[in-house]
Amino acid sequence: MPSPVSADRSSAQPPGRGSFEALITQTRQLKGEVNAVRRDTPSDGADPEERWQRALCDLALHQLDDLDAHLAQLRDGPDTEPAAAAASAGAPAVRPVPAAPPPGSLLSRVGSAEWNLLTDEATWSGELYQILGLAPDAPALTLDELPSLVLDEDRPKLTAMVTDCLVDGKPIDGEFRVVRPDGLVRAVHMMGEPVLGADGGTASMWAVLRDVSELRRSQRTVHETRDSLQRHRRQEQTEHRIAAELQEAVLPPWRGSLRLPHQGPRTLDLAAHRLPAATQTLMGGDWYDALELSDGETLLSVGDLTGHGVAVASGMAMLLGAVRGMALAGTRPGELLGMLNQLLDATVQPALGSAVCCRYRPETHTLVWAQAGHPAPLLYRDGTGRMLNAPDGVLLGATSGAVYGEADETLRPGDLLLLHTDGLVPGHSPAAAVDRLLDLAPRFGAARTAQDCVRTLVEEFGGAGREDDACVLVARVTA
């Protein structure tokens, strides 16, 4: 059955002008807050999260603009006096036609209509003519004629809504698409109710029709952006899993402490650790390695390939494999880095990397090392620490034919060597990071094993604020 309101619409009193003013003020305040968020969101950023947020803000602003305009229309009342005056003078009624909304705006037209079932007459507002693209002096379409403007697949929906309203007294609340005479297809949302006559039967039907085409387009944009964001997230998760598995497969198989060489006196106590970034999707190209060589020497290396993702993890695996192969073949550190530079220079995708490569001979306690644009190793002795003087060496992949120098350092039993990749100490300049690491000398001196030193580093720098991966390798000379 129709609602009491529909039975006698003339008895409803409109809200006071002050009520509309308060609602308009609240709406405009909310628009300002949403617009502030929108301004802070990049419009052409590569981040799908930012694109989705901006699309949602655009949609919210457009709907608030729409609400603002309709509240003002309700406050000011319909402009019907010119039409009424013309009708009383016997002239054809001139329907007021409001200005069109700005291009691209979601501020939609809202029209109204009433169909008299007793006289088969239809009365339309000027806005409805604009929505349906009809001339303002054309006769209003009856309920039987209205479906002629509707797309074939949407006609059953309109027919069912009108039938339910007239026969069963159900309110109309639905959407359909119309084809205007100019060929444009518009989405129209219709709300209406039956109006009862004095005998209790349905005398007419009134409806409000709104052009929601731009609103639906904007909603589709939001949905498509959201779907794109979800696909992007799934792709990131897949890439992170693959990169993590690849990194796990190529890094040294040993965990915890390692004593080298395996045969004879254990001259080195080794421990290493990878400190992951707080954001798990940022899987970098950091590596560490310790390898016993056939001549009794030990290879120590750390490095970092710039970037993140599967391609970087794959490049890191290639470099680490090359380091091991050339070291086992007896290549010295400086020459080894030069070959790595040629390898990166020859890859299809340009890349930059940094590395430290060391060979330690236990018989003479001699460390021969080279670096390619990488932080120099730190040496801790007798409770103090210092950075080793670095030989010449540019970033891997920076220039063709680069030559890498070498440096020698004589170690003593009890010395501790720290190799690390860039970014171990978050939020600090390279110089300040070195100072913080050297300040750990007393704690390293009191540590019993290399693994204890690694635990200290993790406690100090392995917190939630890390923006990038980092690797540490600690070598303690035992004999």
Side-chain angles (χ1 to χ4, degrees):
M1 293 296 294
S3 66
V5 175
S6 64
D8 187 5
R9 286 175 293 149
S10 61
S11 63
Q13 294 298 320
R17 186 181 181 91
S19 300
F20 287 120
E21 291 290 357
L23 289 173
I24 291 172
T25 299
Q26 294 176 11
T27 301
R28 291 175 180 175
Q29 289 175 346
L30 183 57
K31 281 169 55 180
E33 295 172 0
V34 174
N35 197 37
V37 175
R38 180 182 179 275
R39 285 197 303 269
D40 293 338
T41 305
S43 61
D44 55 354
D47 187 351
E49 189 84 44
E50 293 177 347
R51 295 200 302 270
W52 187 39
Q53 180 175 341
R54 187 176 180 89
L56 289 174
C57 288
D58 287 340
L59 179 60
L61 283 173
H62 286 315
Q63 297 209 47
L64 287 170
D65 282 338
D66 203 351
L67 178 60
D68 188 2
H70 292 321
L71 287 172
Q73 184 180 23
L74 290 171
R75 177 197 61 192
D76 299 335
D79 183 12
T80 57
E81 293 183 3
S88 63
V94 179
R95 301 179 182 92
V97 179
S105 171
L106 294 188
L107 184 59
S108 55
R109 290 189 180 278
V110 179
S112 61
E114 185 164 356
W115 289 275
N116 191 312
L117 304 182
L118 303 179
T119 63
D120 202 28
E121 294 178 340
T123 304
W124 286 7
S125 68
E127 291 89 345
L128 186 53
Y129 282 85
Q130 290 289 309
I131 292 173
L132 301 180
L134 301 177
D137 56 352
L141 300 182
T142 66
L143 283 176
D144 292 333
E145 296 170 332
L146 183 61
S148 64
L149 296 178
V150 180
L151 282 178
D152 292 344
E153 54 265 38
D154 289 356
R155 286 177 185 171
K157 184 188 304 183
L158 174 63
T159 300
M161 288 191 299
V162 172
T163 301
D164 289 344
C165 179
L166 299 181
V167 176
D168 299 328
K170 294 181 180 179
I172 291 178
D173 188 354
E175 191 172 309
F176 52 87
R177 290 165 296 170
V178 299
V179 182
R180 293 162 36 123
D182 57 11
L184 290 179
V185 177
R186 309 297 292 178
V188 176
H189 183 257
M190 182 176 182
M191 296 183 67
E193 290 184 344
V195 180
L196 301 182
D199 59 355
T202 302
S204 62
M205 188 188 83
W206 68 272
V208 174
L209 295 94
R210 178 186 179 197
D211 185 346
V212 294
S213 305
E214 294 302 321
L215 176 61
R216 296 295 176 255
R217 181 198 59 76
S218 183
Q219 289 174 335
R220 285 195 300 271
T221 300
V222 171
H223 293 159
E224 290 168 0
T225 306
R226 181 195 59 194
D227 293 342
S228 174
L229 174 61
Q230 292 175 344
R231 289 194 300 271
H232 182 78
R233 285 175 175 168
R234 288 194 295 268
Q235 181 180 357
E236 281 186 339
Q237 292 170 353
T238 301
E239 289 186 353
H240 177 266
R241 177 180 55 80
I242 295 173
E245 292 175 354
L246 181 57
Q247 190 176 64
E248 185 72 15
V250 300
L251 287 179
W254 50 274
R255 296 293 182 268
S257 295
L258 175 68
R259 296 294 185 95
L260 293 179
H262 293 296
Q263 302 296 327
R266 305 292 193 263
T267 58
L268 286 180
D269 174 23
L270 300 166
H273 189 77
R274 184 181 71 85
L275 287 76
T279 303
Q280 291 299 315
T281 55
L282 298 178
M283 180 66 70
D286 298 67
W287 86 78
Y288 63 85
D289 198 19
L291 181 65
E292 183 179 358
L293 305 176
S294 58
D295 58 3
E297 296 186 3
T298 298
L299 168 72
L300 304 174
S301 71
V302 295
D304 182 14
L305 193 63
T306 57
H308 301 90
V310 175
V312 173
S314 177
M316 178 270 289
M318 175 190 68
L319 289 182
L320 184 52
V323 168
R324 291 170 176 169
M326 288 186 285
L328 286 171
T331 307
R332 291 178 60 85
E335 185 182 3
L336 188 153
L337 291 180
M339 293 181 178
L340 286 184
N341 182 64
Q342 294 180 27
L343 182 61
L344 271 187
D345 190 48
T347 56
V348 176
Q349 293 183 341
L352 292 175
S354 66
V356 165
C357 184
C358 311
R359 290 179 72 106
Y360 177 67
R361 179 175 292 276
E363 291 85 354
T364 60
H365 294 126
T366 303
L367 183 78
V368 180
W369 69 284
Q371 64 85 27
H374 199 89
L378 304 180
L379 176 61
Y380 298 85
R381 176 180 295 167
D382 299 330
T384 62
R386 65 180 176 88
M387 178 186 288
L388 299 185
N389 295 324
D392 294 336
V394 299
L395 286 171
L396 300 173
T399 181
S400 301
V403 177
Y404 296 86
E406 291 182 349
D408 297 344
E409 189 73 30
T410 301
L411 304 182
R412 303 175 188 172
D415 284 354
L416 187 139
L417 199 67
L418 171 60
L419 281 67
H420 65 91
T421 57
D422 195 20
L424 171 61
V425 184
H428 287 70
S429 65
V434 169
D435 290 340
R436 285 204 60 187
L437 291 171
L438 293 179
D439 288 341
L440 298 176
R443 296 176 64 181
F444 286 167
R448 294 181 301 169
T449 65
Q451 184 64 34
D452 290 338
C453 297
V454 167
R455 291 193 186 98
T456 298
L457 291 167
V458 173
E459 291 172 1
E460 289 289 327
F461 309 118
R466 299 201 56 80
E467 296 181 357
D468 202 356
D469 290 352
C471 286
V472 295
L473 173 61
V474 174
R476 182 167 173 266
V477 180
T478 59

